[in-house]
Structure formats: C-alpha cells, structure tokens
C-alpha cells in the first residue's frame, strides 16, 4: 500500500520563476492538503482540495494555486517566486468520508529560491 | 482561533528512559482531533498517534501513548523505553472536526535527542 508520494524531492529555482509540485495521495484517500514549512517552524496550511475543488485556504497570496485531478492527485503551483518561498512543501492526504480520519503526509519537496 | 503550544524547544533523554512531550491547545469547538507527528531530518512527517475529543480512553500505539486531559486542554505524548531512532522533531497538531475540514494547526515542535 503506497503512502503519500511527492515529487520532486529537491529543486532550486530563481526568483521570479514559477514552480509546480506534485502529490499522489495514499490509496483510498480523496482529500489532499498542502502545507509550507519554513526552516525551524511548524507547517502552515496553504489549502485543501476535495472533489477537484479548493475547499479551504490558509493565509497565502494568490501566487499559490493548486489543482486536483479526477484520480485525486494534486499539484501546487507557485508563481513569481520570492526568496521567502524557500521551504519544505508537504502534501497530506485523508479520507474525507471517514470519521476520525487520520491525516498522512508525504516526504515533502524541498524548494530553494535563489 | 485554534492554537497549539509546545513549550519544550529541546529535550535530551537517556536511551531506554520514558519521555513526555508537552502539548496544550486552545479551541472553542467541542469536536476536535489531536495528532502527534515525528519529523526526522529527512523532512517526512510521520504520523504517530491520534486522539479524538470524544474518545473515552487515551490513545495508544505501540510505545506511544497520549495523555489526554480534556479539562486542562493538554495532550502530552509519552514515549516508553526510548530508542536512538526516536531522535527527531515532534509536532503536536489539532483539527476541528466538521465535514470538509482537513486543516491542521501545528505547534512549534520539540527537538528530542536520545543519548546512548
């Protein structure tokens, strides 16, 4: 049973560029959320996707956008990259229809903006 | 607004000893869930244990147990017989439970170091 998988694991981008991160949820899960974790801090919620729609959003600018596909996988897009976007980006998945459902995370994508 | 507080930035514990990591939370919602995650230096956030606000008994998962004191709004993680592989960052997180909400609010974490 594959867990949450993310790609790429590491990447370096230049300020002003755009980046796309990808996530495949754990088998049986239908909901994907994205988190940003800056160095030395706890993860911060970016947004959540369910049934191919953005359902919740944290305090992040519109430069951060996403998508969920019919197979439940998801992408996180960040435009006009800033140095402050350098962080670990974590994808989490869960089964929205299960009570007391556990939320599982992937290994993350390390983004460095130079 | 939800808030999670972890007051121990770092802890050093002798191998094979038990360790308690503190977590207090604040929410006005009667229905919520509390999570503990382990994050090694590789970055992966590993699920350890979950406690629902209406669960009657404290959650246990192998060497991990959650000391849930609802009136005090605390959800401390207890690791029994610590091992060198337990060295990592540990995060407490909370989710208010209502349909469609999957947002977790995290604390600042505790760095645990196990000493041989």
């Amino acid at each position: 049973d594959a867990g949450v998988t993310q790609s790429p694991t590491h990447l370096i981008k230049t300020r002003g560029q755009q980046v796309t991160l990808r996530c495949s949820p754990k088998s049986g899960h239908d909901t994907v959320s994205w988190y940003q974790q800056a160095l030395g801090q706890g993860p911060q919620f970016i947004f959540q996707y369910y049934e191919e729609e953005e359902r919740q959003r944290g305090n992040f600018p519109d430069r951060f956008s996403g998508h969920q596909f019919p197979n439940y996988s998801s992408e996180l897009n960040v435009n006009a990259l800033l140095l402050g976007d350098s962080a670990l980006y974590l994808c989490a998945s869960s089964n929205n229809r299960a009570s007391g459902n556990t939320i599982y995370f992937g290994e993350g994508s390390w983004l460095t903006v130079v | 607004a939800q808030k999670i507080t972890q007051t121990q930035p770092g802890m050093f514990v002798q191998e094979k000893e038990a360790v308690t990591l503190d977590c207090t939370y604040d929410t006005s919602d009667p229905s919520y869930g509390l999570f503990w995650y382990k994050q090694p230096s590789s970055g992966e956030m590993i699920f350890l244990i979950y406690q629902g606000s209406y669960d009657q008994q404290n959650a246990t998962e192998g060497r991990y147990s959650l000391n849930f004191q609802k009136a005090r709004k605390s959800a401390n993680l207890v690791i029994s017989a610590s091992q060198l592989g337990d060295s990592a960052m540990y995060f407490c997180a909370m989710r208010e439970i209502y349909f469609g909400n999957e947002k977790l609010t995290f604390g600042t974490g505790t760095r645990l170091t196990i000493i041989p």
Side-chain angles (χ1 to χ4, degrees), chain B residues 31-89:
Chain B
S31 182
Y32 52 88
L34 295 157
F35 297 76
W36 276 93
Y37 290 91
K38 172 184 177 182
Q39 188 177 45
S41 56
S42 62
E44 182 182 8
M45 196 72 77
I46 302 168
F47 167 76
L48 296 178
I49 198 165
Y50 170 83
Q51 178 87 40
S53 58
Y54 293 118
D55 292 344
Q56 294 297 314
Q57 294 187 335
N58 287 344
T60 60
E61 292 279 354
R63 294 187 299 113
Y64 305 106
S65 61
L66 200 152
N67 184 2
F68 181 47
Q69 299 191 35
K70 198 170 183 177
R72 294 186 175 184
K73 293 190 173 179
S74 74
N76 298 339
L77 175 70
V78 179
I79 306 174
S80 63
S82 57
Q83 303 171 357
L84 295 178
D86 293 334
S87 294
M89 281 292 289

Side-chain angles (χ1 to χ4, degrees), chain A residues 2 6 8 11 13 18 25 28 30-31 34 40-41 50 54 60 66-68 71 89-93 96 101 104 108:
Chain A
Q6 292 186 241
L11 70 168
K13 290 287 188 177
Q18 179 262 349
D30 56 9
T31 301
W34 288 90
Q41 298 182 20
Y50 172 65
E54 183 182 297
F60 280 82
H67 189 78
Q68 185 178 35
N71 66 352
Y89 289 84
L90 292 162
C91 173
S93 78
N96 199 287
N101 54 322
Y104 291 94

Side-chain angles (χ1 to χ4, degrees), chain A residues 54-75:
Chain A
E54 183 182 297
R55 299 291 181 163
Q56 281 184 288
R57 189 178 184 92
N59 188 25
F60 280 82
D62 292 344
R63 297 187 297 108
F64 289 77
S65 63
H67 189 78
Q68 185 178 35
F69 299 94
N71 66 352
Y72 307 119
S73 66
S74 175
E75 288 182 350

Side-chain angles (χ1 to χ4, degrees), chain A residues 1-6 23-29 32 91-94 103-107, chain B residues 44-45:
Chain A
D1 178 20
V4 182
T5 58
Q6 292 186 241
C23 172
S24 292
K26 183 178 172 64
S27 178
H29 286 185
V32 172
C91 173
S93 78
S94 61
I103 300 174
Y104 291 94
F105 285 80
E107 295 186 359
Chain B
E44 182 182 8
M45 196 72 77

Side-chain angles (χ1 to χ4, degrees), chain A residues 35 37 48 56 94 101 103, chain B residues 37 39 95 100-102 104:
Chain A
Y35 291 78
Q37 186 178 16
Q48 168 205 336
Q56 281 184 288
S94 61
N101 54 322
I103 300 174
Chain B
Y37 290 91
Q39 188 177 45
R95 174 172 61 109
N101 179 39
E102 298 298 308
L104 287 173

